Amino acid sequence: MTPDDLTPHSRAEARLARHRRRRRRLEVGAVVAVVALAVGAGGALWATGSGPFADPADTTRAAGSDGRPTVQREPRPPGAPTCGRDLTTGRPLRLWIAGDSLAGSLGPALGEQTAETGVVAPVYESRVSSGLANPGFHNWPKRAAAELARLDPEAVAFIIGTNDYVIVSGSRNPGAAWVADYTARTEAMMELLVGPERRTVYWISPPVMRSERMDDAVRQIGDLQRTVAREFPTVTFIDAHSLLDDEDGGYTGTTTDPETGRTITIRAGDGVHLSPDGADLLAAAVYQQIDTDWCITAQAVEDATQPVIETRGSTYIPGTRRTTGSTGSSNGSTGSGGSSGATGATGATGTSGSSGSTTTTTTAATTTTTAAPTTTTTTAPAATTTSRGRP
């Protein structure tokens, strides 16, 4: 990977997180099981199947509280390997995590969980108030094309759609004009992420919203994303809505900590974003799907870790991620503003702080990376289906 605009978190942060990540990796099954019981039937019981669109005889899935699967996977093609290539600390899996402000929570959480194995090199980027419906604000296809060419990731985790609720809000007509337009945009984005390499993509839907108006819209967006994902055999659709809802399919801000039995907060106070603990739960679900495809836990190297790298210029909502700064030679991310709420066509996730990183050293390697200006096209401030590349 070229290091021109990347900022790794500090060695100290990785050290502090290592024990927690190792313990959580061993307990991912328990975490998911507890979420299934405490949050509701929307919790994920991970299975390999082809979702609601396949022949029932070929389908094994976990259903959310509304009967929809949280994991929806297409069967692997005949003769396909059960895992990706061999992974080592010298040749780790290249993972790009990107999306709207929810990626500002998922990126650090999933980054730490995967990097702690020593065989995954994560880079993440988050853009507050971005979506697919308004490329004039932030052009994700253009940005992704540039980053895919620059980073050459082998796997991508992409979360988007919350800010696009305004194109749906108030419309329950499945034939509304937004459906055809957003379907085309989603197809184009998935095709771009998959690429000719048939890259493994983990597409995460918007989570359940506290506002009924927003939630109705993001449910429709998530359903559309699920349908489109089935067209791509290397896309795994992860239903964050069903994963984080309550037993009735509605919003909940808390669940039970599997280690302590205490109630923990999994959502931010705005009813839109994730808390750091909520980000950890979603990241654990995504981790398990990546592990299924790449066998990263089986290949993990004890006492080894990779740097968790945040792309310079990323923006986030303060208070929604555990990492709030760094030590050593790194200038940590600093949030400012951080108010949340709808602001026009792109404001479901409000305003945010931005990363203020310059030159740093990696957390586990001996190399040094230097941040440089990004090529972002932003013009304003700023559960599960598996499919694999379109045939």
Side-chain angles (χ1 to χ4, degrees):
M1 293 187 300
T2 57
D4 54 336
D5 67 348
L6 306 178
T7 304
H9 293 310
S10 71
R11 185 183 303 273
E13 287 171 339
R15 190 181 303 117
L16 289 172
R18 183 175 302 175
H19 176 70
R20 184 175 72 241
R21 299 300 174 238
R22 181 177 296 113
R23 182 173 58 188
R24 176 162 45 248
R25 189 174 70 240
L26 295 174
E27 297 178 350
V28 162
V31 169
V32 173
V34 169
V35 173
L37 294 174
V39 177
L45 303 175
W46 305 109
T48 300
S50 52
F53 308 102
D55 188 302
D58 299 327
T59 301
T60 304
R61 72 187 190 194
S65 58
D66 54 4
R68 295 175 301 177
T70 54
V71 178
Q72 177 184 305
R73 299 179 63 90
E74 288 295 325
R76 295 179 187 275
T82 56
C83 288
R85 66 173 176 82
D86 291 342
L87 305 176
T88 66
T89 56
R91 294 188 65 243
L93 173 68
R94 301 185 301 278
L95 172 65
W96 186 45
I97 308 159
D100 57 27
S101 58
L102 293 169
S105 302
L106 178 64
L110 181 59
E112 289 181 357
Q113 289 181 31
T114 55
E116 192 275 334
T117 66
V119 293
V120 181
V123 177
Y124 72 90
E125 176 172 352
S126 56
R127 301 288 171 166
V128 169
S129 297
S130 66
L132 296 182
N134 187 0
F137 176 78
H138 185 77
N139 191 323
W140 268 116
K142 184 175 182 180
R143 177 62 178 170
E147 289 299 272
L148 293 173
R150 186 174 72 88
L151 299 173
D152 188 26
E154 298 165 281
V156 174
F158 193 67
I159 183 166
I160 205 76
T162 300
N163 293 297
D164 295 325
Y165 88 95
V166 292
I167 66 172
V168 190
S169 185
S171 171
R172 296 175 183 271
N173 177 8
W178 75 268
V179 174
D181 179 72
Y182 200 78
T183 295
R185 293 179 187 276
T186 303
E187 287 176 339
M189 192 68 198
M190 288 188 187
E191 188 158 23
L192 174 64
L193 293 176
V194 167
E197 306 86 353
R198 300 197 176 193
R199 188 179 288 111
T200 304
V201 175
Y202 305 91
W203 186 287
I204 303 106
S205 74
V208 57
M209 300 285 118
R210 185 168 59 197
S211 161
E212 291 185 6
R213 175 169 169 263
M214 287 184 66
D215 193 54
D216 178 68
V218 299
R219 277 177 181 267
Q220 294 183 60
I221 287 172
D223 287 345
L224 183 150
Q225 292 174 343
R226 183 201 311 276
T227 300
V228 175
R230 188 176 181 272
E231 301 175 22
F232 298 86
T234 58
V235 173
T236 296
F237 176 81
I238 299 177
D239 187 349
H241 193 287
S242 293
L243 179 69
L244 297 173
D245 63 7
D246 65 13
E247 65 228 12
D248 299 317
Y251 179 87
T252 180
T254 61
T255 189
T256 302
D257 188 316
E259 297 179 10
T260 67
R262 296 178 179 177
T263 298
I264 59 172
T265 299
I266 59 174
R267 302 302 295 270
D270 59 11
V272 174
H273 293 91
L274 305 174
S275 70
D277 286 331
D280 285 344
L281 290 179
L282 179 57
V286 180
Y287 177 102
Q288 186 158 351
Q289 294 307 305
I290 300 174
D291 197 23
T292 296
D293 292 326
W294 293 92
C295 302
I296 55 179
T297 299
Q299 300 180 79
V301 178
E302 185 72 18
D303 295 326
T305 188
Q306 296 287 336
V308 177
I309 299 176
E310 178 180 13
T311 301
R312 184 178 180 184
S314 293
T315 54
Y316 67 97
I317 302 297
T320 64
R321 55 201 248 175
R322 186 162 283 106
T323 300
T324 57
S326 56
T327 58
S329 60
S330 174
N331 289 335
S333 301
T334 56
S336 63
S339 62
S340 178
T343 55
T346 57
T349 51
T351 60
S352 77
S354 61
S355 300
S357 31
T358 53
T359 304
T360 80
T361 52
T362 62
T363 60
T366 57
T367 58
T368 300
T369 61
T370 303
T374 62
T375 57
T376 178
T377 59
T378 303
T379 58
T384 318
T385 322
T386 303
S387 322
R388 300 210 164 260
R390 187 192 295 270

